[in-house]
Each structure stands twice: as C-alpha cells, then as structure tokens.
Amino acid sequence: MEGLQRRLRTGAGWLFYVTVLMGMALLLPRSIFDPESTDFLLLLGAVGIWRYSMGAIHYVRGLLFLYLVYPYYRRKAARLGDSADPSQVFLMVTSFRIDALTTAEVYRSVIREAIDCGYKATIVCSIVELSDEMLVKGLWSKMNPPERVRLDFVRIAGTGKRDGLAHGFRAISRHLPDDDAVVAVVDGDTVLTPGVVRKTMPYFKLFDNLGGLTTNEFCEVHGSYVMSEWHKLRFAQRHINMCSMALSKRVLTLTGRMSVFRANVVTNASFINDVENDYLEHWRLGRFKFLTGDDKSSWYSLMRLGYDTFYVPDAAINTVEHPPEKSFIKASRKLMFRWYGNNLRQNSRALGLGSNRLGWFTSIVLLDQRVAMWTSLLGPTVAIVASIKYGFAYLMIYLLWIGLTRLVLTLLLLASGHEIGPAYPLILYYNQIAGALVKVYVFFRLDQQSWTRQKTKLNRDLASFQRWFNTWSSRAMTFSASSVFVAALMWVV
C-alpha cells in the first residue's frame, strides 16, 4: 500500500510539472515555436550549447563505460578466479559524532561483510568515544566471527577525520601487510551492501597500476522530501560522471564513504602525510591546511604518486544522510560550500600535474570546472537583461526552455539505474544557479572551511592585518569579477 501511494504521488507530480509547462507554452506567442522566426525557442539555448556539450560528452562516455567497457572488465576479472583474491583485507571505519542507531547499522554491515567475503580480514575501528567501542564489542560478541576475522581499535582525540584516517593507516602499517593486501576505507555513516567487498577486489589484480577505486552510492535521508530528492539526484549524476571518468581510469575523487586502496598505498608515508597534513599555498591567501576534503587529497596523492583510479558501478553502498539544517536552503548551501570548496582547492593544484600525467580529457574537465561557475549563470543573466530591455516575454521563453531541457536531462538519468522523481527538473536548475553562486563565493575564499557534522572551522591564527587583507581582498575580487561578468553580458545583449 505504501509503495502504491508513493507511485501515485510521483505520477501526480509528473502530471503537474508537464501541465505547468504546457500552460507556459500556451501563454507565449506561436513565433517562438517557428524555426524560421527570430524568436524561435532554441535560439536562446544556443547561447549555452558549448556548456551542454561537456554534459553530453560525460553522458555518452558514462553509458559507454557502464554498458560496454565495464561488463568486459568484469568478465575478465571473473576469469581470474581465486588468483584475484587478496592475501588480506582491512576494513577501516572512521566514526565521530554519529548517532548510535546508524553506528550499529554500519558496523553490523562491516562485520557481516568481513565474515561473508571469505578472506582473511581485519576490521580497524578509528573511533573517539568509548561508547562506540562498547557498541562495536557488543555487536562483535553477538555476531561471533570466525578466527580469520580480527578486530583492532584505534582511539583518537576528536581532532577531525584526517587525523582519524592517518592513525588508522598507521595502525594498518603495524600489521605489516604484503603487496597483495587491500584496504577498504569506510565512513561512519556508510552501510555496506552484501557482496560489495568481493565485487571490488579483483580489479587490483586486473589492473597492475590501480591505486584505488570507489563505489556506487545510494542514500537514506533523514530530512524533508526535497532534501531527500536533492541527495538522490546528486548520486544519480555522480554515477554517470564517475563512469565517464573511469573510462580513462581517472576517477576525480575517492569518496570517503567507501573507497578501496592497495595496502602498500595507504601504508606509504607520503600518502599518509598527504591525507593528514594536506595544504595549499595560495598567492593571495597564503598557506593554509586543508580541514575537509580528505577524498580529494587521497586522489591527488595517487595521481602524484603515479597510480590510476577506478569506479565499480555494481558495487553499491547505502549512506545515511543527516542534513546539517532543517531548512533545505540552509542545509544545501552549507553542503555545497564544503563540497565545492574541496573541489576548487583540489582543482587549483591538480592542473599543475600536467596533461601527460592526467590525460587530456581529465585536464579539460578540471579546466571546465573553473569556467562552469560563470557559464551556469550566463543563461539566467542574459534572460533577465533581455526581459528588462526588450520585454517580459523573453524571461518566459527562458523559463520554458529551462523547464523542457531539465525534463529531458532528468529522463536521461534513467540510464543510470537510479530512480528519478518529478522534483528533479526544478532541483537541477536550483543546483545550477545556487551551486554557481556558491562556487563564485568560495573560489575567492578557498581558506574558509568547516565541517557540517563536527561544527569545527579552520583557525589559522593570523595577524590582524593579514585577516583584514584576506577578508577585504576576497570581497573586492568577488565584486570586481561579478561586475565584469554582468557588464560584458549587458554589452553583448
């Protein structure tokens, strides 16, 4: 009954969305649907053709990998048989300030995977609170794993996830893993699905230069309907983009939710230092340590050390999402600020590795990330200026164009295997505008960082003049760049 009600609500939502689009179309003059007219609807979209081209390339590459290339790799990996088995598997879980129910669900899934995978396994628990240790011990006693599965606790101070990862990696180093050992790094809010460990292991034997890989994500959101749909849309888009980058073995992030590494990578002192003490030397803001973005640091470290990265689309995990605010606008803004800040901080130095190391396509993608924040604002800015200068109909045409194109983009996501909902077209456009504004803001403030769960911020202990200079130079550069952007578009229109 609940499933039927959900399908009826979804169907009603799609019907309402299409009805609104049809109503907007009826209000506009017929000339915008005439290809020979200067008001033809697609002429407005031509402004953003080159921006859509990157999305189209990612989509085609993603489907090519998902339905042709990856099944070929999977068959090759299956033919390896037992020879692809690792000598030992480490499952390292980092937990801090996560509710007990989620923590129990996560560790139960990890212990179950350690038992069911059939490998010699060690679960490394990098924790802060004594209550988490007692909870894990209770689950361990209840599930009674065999002797080949061991448990190792690493108690740390609550100084951040990076320290938790570094202490966990050093604990794994003390086990002296051999070259065939593998380490799965699992976040404290990630529930492993059955078989996910065995699905990821063979690729380290299939690809000799593979340093790390990451997995497909689904989510359970403890929040509003819009917040839930926003997260699910993000994971559907992530799936396509990950598949696209996996075609070049250059997946751009090794998500902390669950990524798998060679043991000789995570025990490498240089890699541990990159994760624990990563920093950026900025020409204006000075040198500052990275507080968040450990997944970007691990990716950058692998690229710098000469490894490849990969994505396993049929190895899935379920994440439990706790929005940092009750308000969707506030919560999404906080999360965007953290995600896009991590992305731009990585971007500013990743391009320095050069196309010989990254490959031409990856270099173009990283370069496009810098440009996309402005091109995403191109359409709405032109539409607003044109409506002020020539008439309100131009804004209506633009809104109809947005409604139609986002509907098409949503339907294309069906190929990802993730569910879609009637709110997706509107959320897509919200992500475009709000995301671009957040990117522009954070681009000039790369030193500003904060966790959403731990409520901690980076404290640099700068002198008063340096703080004043950083604040006002960031404001001046944001204002100048925005003014040049709007002035240039007004001149063009």
Side-chain angles (χ1 to χ4, degrees), residues 70 84-86 88-93 106 109-123 148 181-186 191-204 213 215 258-261 312 314-317:
Y70 176 70
D85 290 350
Q88 185 175 5
V89 173
F90 293 89
L91 297 166
M92 191 181 85
V93 187
V106 169
S109 73
V110 171
I111 296 171
R112 183 197 63 227
E113 274 299 288
I115 296 171
D116 294 346
C117 70
Y119 307 132
K120 180 182 177 183
T122 300
I123 300 174
R148 62 176 172 79
V182 177
V183 178
V185 180
V186 182
V191 180
L192 306 187
T193 60
V196 67
V197 170
R198 292 197 67 90
K199 288 179 180 178
T200 56
M201 293 300 123
Y203 298 100
F204 290 96
L213 59 81
T215 52
M258 181 183 173
S259 291
V260 188
F261 302 86
V312 184
D314 60 355
I317 58 173

Side-chain angles (χ1 to χ4, degrees), residues 389-425:
K389 197 169 184 179
Y390 301 113
F392 183 72
Y394 280 90
L395 184 59
M396 289 290 292
I397 293 171
Y398 174 73
L399 293 176
L400 179 59
W401 166 259
I402 289 299
L404 292 172
T405 53
R406 271 48 185 183
L407 176 60
V408 172
L409 292 175
T410 297
L411 295 176
L412 289 175
L413 288 175
L414 283 170
S416 70
H418 289 243
E419 293 184 1
I420 64 171
Y424 278 25

Side-chain angles (χ1 to χ4, degrees), residues 167-222:
H167 281 76
F169 293 156
R170 293 190 182 101
I172 292 172
S173 300
R174 291 191 287 272
H175 287 272
L176 302 177
D178 60 28
D179 291 340
D180 290 329
V182 177
V183 178
V185 180
V186 182
D187 209 353
D189 57 3
T190 300
V191 180
L192 306 187
T193 60
V196 67
V197 170
R198 292 197 67 90
K199 288 179 180 178
T200 56
M201 293 300 123
Y203 298 100
F204 290 96
K205 283 292 179 67
L206 184 64
F207 305 122
D208 292 335
N209 197 45
L210 180 63
L213 59 81
T214 193
T215 52
N216 194 1
E217 291 187 31
F218 296 86
C219 64
E220 174 190 339
V221 182
H222 293 181

Side-chain angles (χ1 to χ4, degrees), residues 296-371:
K296 304 296 191 299
S297 296
S298 59
W299 173 84
Y300 178 76
S301 186
L302 287 181
M303 290 295 102
R304 187 176 58 80
L305 293 171
Y307 289 101
D308 295 334
T309 55
F310 194 62
Y311 179 65
V312 184
D314 60 355
I317 58 173
N318 292 309
T319 63
V320 182
E321 304 288 345
H322 295 87
E325 300 281 352
K326 291 184 179 179
S327 165
F328 167 70
I329 300 296
K330 290 181 179 180
S332 61
R333 180 177 55 81
K334 280 189 174 183
L335 291 170
M336 285 180 181
F337 182 84
R338 177 162 63 87
W339 295 337
Y340 296 150
N342 295 337
N343 193 44
L344 290 170
R345 278 184 287 274
Q346 172 206 230
N347 182 289
S348 64
R349 47 62 176 296
L351 283 168
L353 295 173
S355 58
N356 289 335
R357 176 69 198 102
L358 297 174
W360 280 106
F361 182 72
T362 306
S363 298
I364 292 171
V365 170
L366 290 172
L367 186 61
D368 183 68
Q369 288 177 352
R370 285 176 167 263
V371 179

